[in-house]
Each structure stands twice: as C-alpha cells, then as structure tokens.
Amino acid sequence: MKLVVRVIEARNIPAMDQNGYSDPYVRLQLGRQRFKTKVVRKSLSPSWEEEFSFKVEDLKDELVISVLDEDKYFNDDFVGFLKIPVSRVFDADNKSLPTAWHSLQPKNKKSKNKDCGEILLTISFSHNTSSADFNINSDPLDQLKTTESPKRSFSGPSNAPSPVRVEDTTSSREEKSCAQKTLAGRIAQMFNKNSDTASDRGVDFLELPETTKSELFDDKCVDQSSSASFEEAMKTMEPRDLGSEVPSNLPGGVLVDQMYVIAPQDLNTLLFSPDSNFPRTWAEEQGNTELQIGPWRFENGCESLKRDVTYIKAANKLIKATKGFEEQTYLKADGKVFAILASVSTPEVMYGGSFKTELLFCITPGPELSSGEQSSHLVISWRMNFLQSTMMKGMIENGARSALRETYEQFATFLSQTITPVDSNDMGLNKEQILASLQPEPQSDWKLAVHYFANFTVVSSFFMGIYVLIHIWLATSTTIQGLEFVGLDLPDSIGEFIVCGVLVLQGERFLQLISRFMQARKQKEIFEYDAMDEPPSMLDVEVYDFDGPFNEATSLGHAEINFVKSDISDLADVWIPLQGKLAQACQSKLHLRIFLNNTKGSNVVKEYLTKMEKEVGKKINLRSPQTNSAFQKLFGLPPEEFLINDFTCHLKRKMLLQGRLFLSARIIGFHANLFGHKTNFFFLWEDIEDIQVLPPSLSSMGSPVIVMTLRQGRGMDARHGAKTQDEEGRLKFHFHSFVSYNVAHRTIMALWKARSLSPEQKVQIVEESEAKSLQSEEGGTFLGLEDVTMSEVYSSVLPVPMSFFMELFGGGELERAVMEKAGCVSYSCSSWESEKLDVYERQIYYRFDKCISRYRGEVTSTQQKSPLPNGNGWLVEEVMTLHGVPLGDYFNLHLRYQVEDSPSRPKGCLAQVYLGVAWLKSTRHQKRITKNIVSNLEDRLRVKLSVIEKEFAAR
C-alpha cells in the first residue's frame, strides 16, 4: 500500500526571523522514510502544492509532519508539528482524509509560541494494485489468506475498482465489519468497497458499463483537456500573478546574471516555449541525447503550470551517461516578470535518490536602452534539496556547484550567440531616465494640497476663523471709548488683547503654510552624491529657512534616512517626517525620492575588501553568497550588505554571554543563542564615539576588553546589550575573550576609522598605516611586529664600534660578504628610502644555499630602521617571508636588531636580537618548525658576528 500526502499550504505561521517573516518548509516522516518540501522565503502563509508517496509497512505507524524555519547559518528553527496515525486514514471513508486544516502543536509544553499556525493537507491511500499480486476475478480474502506476512505492501498502476461480487448487501456489510479487525481484512475492504455495483462474480473489467469506464478515466480526460497552447497558458496565468512577489534567489548562489536586448516575453518564449528550438540546440551542444519535452499542463485547478523534460545526460570524466528527469513549474508569469523553478533528479547516479537539484530562472524587465529597445534581466540561481540525510552531503554539494558553474558559463555564452547581451556602456541611461523610472503616478495639486493641509494647525485656524466671522455677524456695534475712533476698535480688556494676539499668530502660521506649499510646488532639486566609494549607511537631511547670504539661516527641521534599515525600493518615493520644534509643531514632512546607482559594478565589494586589507594588515576572504544571505537574514539587513569577518567573544553585562561578533562595512552586530533564548542587536559604525581597550583582569578572564561608547541618543535599539549607560545617556558595550584578539581589534579599529572619522583624519590614518607597512605586496601579508611575541635569541657586547656594526645594514661590501658567508646566494637589496622623519625602509631578496636549506628556498623581506629614542643606537626591524619551502606560506618571521653603544666598553657595542614567528595558518607542527627556525637563526648569527669581528680586525 502507498500513503499519498499532499502538502498544500499553511497559514498563521509565527515569525521566527528578525525581519518579521519566516522561511518555512515541511518535513514528513513515516518510519524510516523522510521527505521535505521546498523552502518558501519570507512568508507567514506559504504555499507548497507538493505531493509525496510513502510505502506503508505497518498500520500502527504514525505520519509525523513538522514545519521548520530554514536558517542557513544556524540550526533551523522548529515551528510546530502534528502526528496522524496511519490507521486513522485507513478507517476513514474512501480510505482518505479530506482536504482540511490541521493545527500545529508546539515542540513541548514550555515553548513560547503556543499558536504555531495551521497546515492544509490531503491524505489518502493509493488504490493501485498490481496484477502480479492479485487476480481481479478471484476473491481478495482468499488471496490474502495465502500471504506470508500481514505487513506486505501492495502497489500497482491500475486505477480500476475491483469488480468482486458479493451474494447480497447484508452479507457484504458483515464481511466488512469483521474484516476491519485484521490488516488482511482492512485491505480486503478496500477492494470490496465497490462490490455492490457488480452484478456477477466473474464479470470481467472490459464488460463494465460505459458510465463506469468514463468515471475511471475522468482524471485522464481532465489532464488532457488542461493541456493548452503556450500563449494561452501565459494569458491564463497573467491576471492571477499580478501583484505577487518575485521569488528571491536560491541560497546556493547565482549562476547567470546578465541582461539581454530582448523583451521579457520573448526571452521567456525562447527558453520555455514548446515550439522553441533553443532547448534542443542547447541539448545537442551539451551532448545530451533522447531529449523529450512534455507539453505544459495545468494542475490543481489551474493553480500551477508544469511540464516534464527527460534526457540522457552525456558522460564525463566522473560519471557515465545517466538519465535525467526535470520538472519545470511556473511560479510567476504576469506578462512582465517570469519565474520558473526546475527540479532536476538523476536517480541513476550514486546517492541520486537522496537529493534534487533546483534551478530558479527569473526573467525581469531591464532598463530601456538608448536605442529605444527593450531589455531583459536573466538571473539563474540554484540550490540542493536533500530528500534524505546522507554523510556525502558536502561532497555532493561541492561537486554540483563546480559542475553547474561550468555548465551555465557555457549556457550564458551559448545564449549570447542567439541574442545580444546588454553592455553597460550601451545602456545610455542618464539621470533623467533613471529618475523617470522611479516617478510614481502623477498626483493632482488638489490631492497634494489636501495631504499637506490636513493637520491641526490648518483645521484649528479654519474653525477659529469661522467662529470669529459668526461673532462679527451676530455682534452689535459698541460705543467709542478710550483712545478709539471711527474705524479703529481696540481691545477693551486683557482677555480680548490675548485673543487678538492668538488670532494674529494663528493667521500668520496659516499664511506661511500656504506660501511654503506654493514655493515647494515650483522648486524641485536633484542632489547627486558619489556615495559608493564606501557603502552609504546614513543620510542626514536638514531644511533651512534661507533669507539671504547676509542673514543666518534658521533650521526648520531635520531627518535621518537609514539605508541599513530601509529597503532601497521603498526610498524611491517616501515622505519623511521632520524632527525639531518648528517641524513637529507644524507636523512637517519632506517628500524625497532616493535611489542608489552602483557605477562600479560587482567590483565594489572586492575593492572595499582590498582597501580594508591594507588597513587591517591581514587577508580578508570574500564570503560565500550563502553566508552573506544568512548574515542578512539574521539581522534583517538589505541584500547589498556583505559580511567582512566574525569572531567568537563574550558580551559583558550583568552575566557573561558567549556569542559571535559580526563585522560588515556598515554595521557591527552581536548574536547569541543560549538555550533557545536569542540575543540579537546591531548598530552603525557612525554611532560609535570612542573605542577603548581595558587591560586584562580577573573578571575578563585574563583577556583585554574592547569598550565601545556610542554617541548620545544612538543605538537605542541595541540598549539591551549595553553594560552601562553614563550620565550623558551614552551606551557602553564591553566585548572580550576573543579567540584572535589582535586580528579582531585591528579589524574593528580599521572599520570604525573608515566610517566615523572626517576626511582629513582618514587621510592622516592612511599615511600612518602606509608608514607602518613593513612588507611589500610580493612579500605577502604583513601582521605588524607589535602583534607577534618576540623572544630574545642573542645578546652580547661586541668589540666592534656601533658605526662599523651598522655597515651590516648599509648595502656595501661588508654586508654582501657577511650574507654570502651565512649562506645567502644571489643577495640583492634596495637603497634606504625615507618613509617619514628618521624612519627608513628597504627591500631585500636572496636564496638559501644548499648547506642552509636543502630546498634552496627564496626569501623576500622588508627592513625598517630608526634611531633609538635616547639617540645612542639604532633599531632595525625585519619581516621575512619564505618561498619554495614546505609550509612557508603558513608563517612569517619577525626580527628585531637593537644596537647601541656599550657603556662598559668604549669601542664596543651592545647587540640584541629578538625573534618572533607570526602564524598565518594553524598546523600541528608549529613547535617543531619554531625550534628549527630558532636553531638555524642562532647558527647564522654566530657566523655573521664572527665575520664582522674578523673584518674589523683586518682593517
């Protein structure tokens, strides 16, 4: 027997993410059989429309249906579940549970979310039987008596009911009631449910009435009648999909992202129309054979449009030729935007039954070209949908990723031969065209006037004016008294004087509103900023009342636009309420249309990371799309935000909280999950006023503490993560116990200085960082001597003057003789160049002699020398990078030579040498390598110093 479960949709799913949505999917399990649906992004009422079939081995089993929220970076969040006994479905009428809503239950009684939503399911037994297992002309009860086990499953392709005859209705019902007590009886009941319609036990299926045959093939006729032409199908789906959201890219990554000179409808027809020759040509290009493309068909009452594609995939170096099954489903087709999900399965490959590869084709309208032609934007993304858990998941994903990238690079090239891709230089978009694309529908002056004047000031002025006019009409003339004369009526009391003043002020404010509205309708200004040198996070807007160049401008109000918390599409037409005494009194709003135009393409992230690498002094790797997507989802950030680095640390509050600190170009965020209690917050780099480092203490577990102090009134959304708040209202955040403190501190300081300092300060910091850089690009990544633990390897008073010893770093004959004696071949060095006052730098290159290293490795190093603070000697610092030796890219060598006049020996000098190893990558051989380096260096130092002494004595 087979149990068929159709997962239709769900409603009232609780929001599990910070953005107020969930990414739900359904996991089904019966015994050891497991399946799961696709993930619906950002939805609390997801729709799946997927069907699964389970092999039933025991009626005592329970079908477990769980709804979860996908979280790529952390564990998936549990939403709710329900259990349905298989026997309940079997005992129901027609062996099926009708389509109904089922309430989801929480995981346990202590769960916070008691209302977990509902899910719409249809569950039924498949009535298919195989002729190999049953003879339709014999009694099912007799056949079941011969079965060896009651848990045997039966399945087959036939949809016809059994024509078994029973002597009379009464006896049939008695047999049914008795048969339900056993598994065999229940299965027999399934085959006897239509026995009342049969007139003869030996009647063959072919002799059934025509009405019965038409009912049996009703579903098949419906499917055939649902098949329609491709154009008619698109027109049918167009009104249904208007206003629906465009599916977001799948988390596996983007394979194709290109614009083409073709209308979206035509591109959709080229790729997916049955009459198009492109799919067949592409299959031949790939070497695929036996391509069979099925017709498009409507299913579920015209709710979904699908078709099936099968082919024999060409063999490659890794796998042999295998058969592929592809189901293509339209997710959206509104006439302008088309989204098609292709689910590809290859069951013949190893572990092929445990996963499906899903591809999402999104076709959206592109910008209008300068030639007036239409353009389309094609984005193809992918993901792996694992139907069953397997230990080979990582290997399968990596293999699929590399294969898909190679395949769809060829696809993009092949498609470009058919239709012309859009070059960014040919787009011809100017500022006016971009603004025109963002223009909303024009509004009449009357609508804008109503929107502008619908406030308390105008309404109160109107009623006060009506009240005064009615008073004038009803009042009688009074006698002239005091200083009054004909035509001048002065207030007769203090109360009347105050009322007149209020009326005058109110009338003045009303006239000012009218004047500002008329001026605003005439003035429209566009301001353009080159803000993408660094990703923008905040836009400050202040409105002034400007009377002239010789008068001080009066602030009317100000506003802040946070790009991190706002969607760029929402800023295309937005009303921003102004802050300030005057603005709040008048309830002023500013109408803005903001758009960001990326003029640097996809290189913005790489350029920014390269810039930060120079500041941090460490290689920063570009994160994968899955990691960035999970990071954006975790903090509810816009899709353009990218993660730079993250560190494990402790957040110091009343109680220590271990979590991860996330650093991006615009925000710094913290996330922790302690026994299901999540702590999430972030704030902008511009919000930070000061960063201090407190020395290690017992309370910080021997680790330095990074204290971030925010500006007054900033970061209030993150105040639950602050340790203290000072008298001025500034929040203070304490972080410590970093696994890699030096790297974390440098990264935090570099990002903060890049975002929060003035342009003059940034120029100064860049100059200082360049002055501190002690290694060229060829030498690899420079970590800074202050970050490496230096240990003394040599200290001695030499019978050589300091000036003579410093010739070892002079680039002359003495240096060459000493280095060649120490086993340095092909020695060359550049001249000393002044980096800043009293600081000089040079580059060195040489190879090791075979007696020093049998690998004959190469060395590139950077030396920097400067006088000691007391002026009695020199300090020479060197960073060495080894090439061509095993594990040479795992570490850098840091040397420090300190040479000064010896007070105990007039013609001698004190020489001290310190060594440190900076590990770029971890390895279990660190101790062994360090010991070998120290031993080799000490031997070479003895050789160098002995040569120096001999040369000095010879002179």
Short mmCIF file of all heavy atoms in Angstrom, two decimals, residues 255 357-359 382-384 399-409:
data_model
loop_
_atom_site.label_atom_id
_atom_site.label_comp_id
_atom_site.label_asym_id
_atom_site.label_seq_id
_atom_site.Cartn_x
_atom_site.Cartn_y
_atom_site.Cartn_z
N LEU A 255 24.18 31.61 -10.80
CA LEU A 255 24.97 31.03 -11.89
C LEU A 255 25.05 31.95 -13.10
O LEU A 255 26.09 32.02 -13.75
CB LEU A 255 24.34 29.68 -12.32
CG LEU A 255 24.24 28.62 -11.22
CD1 LEU A 255 23.42 27.43 -11.72
CD2 LEU A 255 25.61 28.17 -10.77
N THR A 357 18.35 18.67 -7.56
CA THR A 357 18.96 19.97 -7.86
C THR A 357 17.87 20.90 -8.37
O THR A 357 17.17 20.58 -9.33
CB THR A 357 20.07 19.83 -8.91
OG1 THR A 357 21.02 18.87 -8.46
CG2 THR A 357 20.76 21.16 -9.13
N GLU A 358 17.72 22.05 -7.72
CA GLU A 358 16.68 23.01 -8.10
C GLU A 358 17.31 24.25 -8.70
O GLU A 358 18.28 24.80 -8.15
CB GLU A 358 15.83 23.37 -6.88
CG GLU A 358 15.05 22.19 -6.32
CD GLU A 358 14.15 22.57 -5.16
OE1 GLU A 358 14.26 23.73 -4.70
OE2 GLU A 358 13.35 21.74 -4.72
N LEU A 359 16.77 24.68 -9.82
CA LEU A 359 17.23 25.87 -10.54
C LEU A 359 16.07 26.84 -10.67
O LEU A 359 14.95 26.44 -11.02
CB LEU A 359 17.76 25.49 -11.92
CG LEU A 359 18.95 24.52 -11.96
CD1 LEU A 359 19.14 23.98 -13.36
CD2 LEU A 359 20.21 25.22 -11.50
N TRP A 382 20.54 28.56 -7.88
CA TRP A 382 20.39 27.12 -7.65
C TRP A 382 20.49 26.79 -6.16
O TRP A 382 20.93 27.62 -5.36
CB TRP A 382 21.47 26.34 -8.40
CG TRP A 382 22.82 26.42 -7.74
CD1 TRP A 382 23.68 27.47 -7.78
CD2 TRP A 382 23.43 25.42 -6.91
NE1 TRP A 382 24.80 27.21 -7.04
CE2 TRP A 382 24.68 25.95 -6.49
CE3 TRP A 382 23.06 24.15 -6.49
CZ2 TRP A 382 25.55 25.23 -5.67
CZ3 TRP A 382 23.93 23.44 -5.67
CH2 TRP A 382 25.15 23.98 -5.28
N ARG A 383 20.11 25.57 -5.84
CA ARG A 383 20.29 25.01 -4.50
C ARG A 383 20.13 23.49 -4.59
O ARG A 383 19.58 22.95 -5.55
CB ARG A 383 19.26 25.57 -3.51
CG ARG A 383 17.84 25.06 -3.75
CD ARG A 383 16.89 25.47 -2.67
NE ARG A 383 15.53 25.05 -3.00
CZ ARG A 383 14.46 25.42 -2.30
NH1 ARG A 383 14.61 26.20 -1.27
NH2 ARG A 383 13.26 25.00 -2.65
N MET A 384 20.61 22.82 -3.55
CA MET A 384 20.44 21.37 -3.43
C MET A 384 19.32 21.11 -2.42
O MET A 384 19.35 21.64 -1.31
CB MET A 384 21.73 20.71 -2.96
CG MET A 384 22.88 20.82 -3.95
SD MET A 384 22.55 19.99 -5.51
CE MET A 384 22.52 18.29 -4.96
N GLY A 399 30.52 19.05 -5.57
CA GLY A 399 30.57 18.56 -6.94
C GLY A 399 29.52 19.21 -7.84
O GLY A 399 29.80 19.59 -8.98
N ALA A 400 28.30 19.37 -7.30
CA ALA A 400 27.23 20.02 -8.08
C ALA A 400 27.56 21.49 -8.34
O ALA A 400 27.29 22.01 -9.43
CB ALA A 400 25.90 19.89 -7.34
N ARG A 401 28.15 22.15 -7.38
CA ARG A 401 28.47 23.57 -7.54
C ARG A 401 29.45 23.79 -8.68
O ARG A 401 29.24 24.65 -9.55
CB ARG A 401 29.05 24.13 -6.23
CG ARG A 401 29.36 25.63 -6.29
CD ARG A 401 29.95 26.15 -4.99
NE ARG A 401 28.98 26.07 -3.91
CZ ARG A 401 29.06 25.19 -2.92
NH1 ARG A 401 30.06 24.32 -2.86
NH2 ARG A 401 28.15 25.17 -1.96
N SER A 402 30.53 23.03 -8.69
CA SER A 402 31.53 23.21 -9.75
C SER A 402 30.96 22.82 -11.11
O SER A 402 31.21 23.49 -12.12
CB SER A 402 32.76 22.37 -9.43
OG SER A 402 32.43 20.99 -9.32
N ALA A 403 30.16 21.74 -11.16
CA ALA A 403 29.60 21.32 -12.44
C ALA A 403 28.59 22.33 -12.98
O ALA A 403 28.58 22.64 -14.18
CB ALA A 403 28.94 19.95 -12.28
N LEU A 404 27.75 22.87 -12.09
CA LEU A 404 26.74 23.83 -12.54
C LEU A 404 27.39 25.13 -13.00
O LEU A 404 26.95 25.74 -13.99
CB LEU A 404 25.76 24.11 -11.40
CG LEU A 404 24.75 22.99 -11.10
CD1 LEU A 404 23.97 23.30 -9.84
CD2 LEU A 404 23.79 22.79 -12.27
N ARG A 405 28.41 25.58 -12.30
CA ARG A 405 29.08 26.81 -12.73
C ARG A 405 29.68 26.66 -14.12
O ARG A 405 29.55 27.55 -14.97
CB ARG A 405 30.16 27.19 -11.72
CG ARG A 405 29.62 27.76 -10.43
CD ARG A 405 30.74 28.07 -9.46
NE ARG A 405 30.23 28.66 -8.23
CZ ARG A 405 30.98 28.93 -7.16
NH1 ARG A 405 32.28 28.67 -7.18
NH2 ARG A 405 30.43 29.46 -6.07
N GLU A 406 30.33 25.54 -14.36
CA GLU A 406 30.92 25.31 -15.68
C GLU A 406 29.83 25.21 -16.74
O GLU A 406 29.95 25.79 -17.84
CB GLU A 406 31.76 24.04 -15.64
CG GLU A 406 32.42 23.71 -16.97
CD GLU A 406 33.24 22.44 -16.88
OE1 GLU A 406 33.35 21.87 -15.77
OE2 GLU A 406 33.75 22.00 -17.94
N THR A 407 28.74 24.49 -16.42
CA THR A 407 27.67 24.30 -17.41
C THR A 407 27.01 25.63 -17.77
O THR A 407 26.78 25.92 -18.95
CB THR A 407 26.62 23.32 -16.87
OG1 THR A 407 27.24 22.06 -16.62
CG2 THR A 407 25.48 23.15 -17.85
N TYR A 408 26.72 26.45 -16.76
CA TYR A 408 25.96 27.66 -17.05
C TYR A 408 26.85 28.82 -17.51
O TYR A 408 26.34 29.82 -18.02
CB TYR A 408 25.10 28.04 -15.84
CG TYR A 408 23.83 27.21 -15.82
CD1 TYR A 408 23.78 25.99 -15.16
CD2 TYR A 408 22.72 27.62 -16.54
CE1 TYR A 408 22.63 25.21 -15.18
CE2 TYR A 408 21.57 26.85 -16.58
CZ TYR A 408 21.54 25.64 -15.90
OH TYR A 408 20.40 24.88 -15.94
N GLU A 409 28.15 28.70 -17.35
CA GLU A 409 29.03 29.62 -18.06
C GLU A 409 28.94 29.35 -19.56
O GLU A 409 28.89 30.28 -20.37
CB GLU A 409 30.47 29.44 -17.56
CG GLU A 409 30.74 30.07 -16.21
CD GLU A 409 32.17 29.83 -15.75
OE1 GLU A 409 32.92 29.21 -16.53
OE2 GLU A 409 32.52 30.25 -14.64
#
